[in-house]
Amino acid sequence: METLNIGSMHVKSILEMDQGAFMEIADYSMAKILDDIMNPNTQATSLRTLTMTWRFTPNEQRTKVKVECTPKLGFGKMLPLGTTLHAMEDRNTGEMCMVEASPQIPGQMGFDGAEQERPVQLKIIRTA
């Protein structure tokens, strides 16, 4: 078996191996966790997880070990999204349709100075 004089080598953490890629993937994963925490569409108090799985595969002679590090992220629970639809008759066709509710009357100016756009009509497909 080959012996190395460790005293002459620079000793580093396993996180610093692969030219720092292991540490980089951990830091990148933490940024993703922070993005999820700050996302207003997720539950604020949901548990977030970062699991780093390390796989060590030695060769037959036990002289080399292949190391793989894989992150697994667990994000917060998504909050339900919602809107309100109004059922109404389409003036042009006379058929019933659904239109998304808007916060103001179309054409009305908001406090921010923007004009409320026309409501969006739901696309309804009656045959498949």
Side-chain angles (χ1 to χ4, degrees), residues 9-96:
M9 295 184 145
H10 185 73
V11 180
K12 290 185 173 184
S13 164
I14 187 70
L15 292 174
E16 297 175 274
M17 297 294 153
D18 197 17
Q19 289 108 28
F22 295 153
M23 189 179 307
E24 187 176 292
I25 197 79
D27 291 343
Y28 175 77
S29 298
M30 284 302 303
K32 291 291 197 184
I33 294 286
L34 178 60
D35 289 345
D36 187 71
I37 289 170
M38 300 312 293
N39 182 346
N41 296 314
T42 61
Q43 188 177 42
T45 58
S46 283
L47 177 70
R48 275 74 170 181
T49 59
L50 167 57
T51 305
M52 303 292 285
T53 302
W54 298 83
R55 294 179 54 172
F56 302 90
T57 310
N59 67 356
E60 200 57 42
Q61 298 75 31
R62 301 171 198 244
T63 57
K64 295 180 183 175
V65 179
K66 180 180 176 184
V67 181
E68 293 178 348
C69 177
T70 308
K72 180 181 176 189
L73 298 168
F75 295 114
K77 180 181 176 186
M78 290 295 293
L79 295 174
L81 301 176
T83 190
T84 302
L85 299 174
H86 294 287
M88 57 191 308
E89 185 178 323
D90 185 323
R91 291 183 197 172
N92 297 324
T93 65
E95 291 187 28
M96 290 303 292

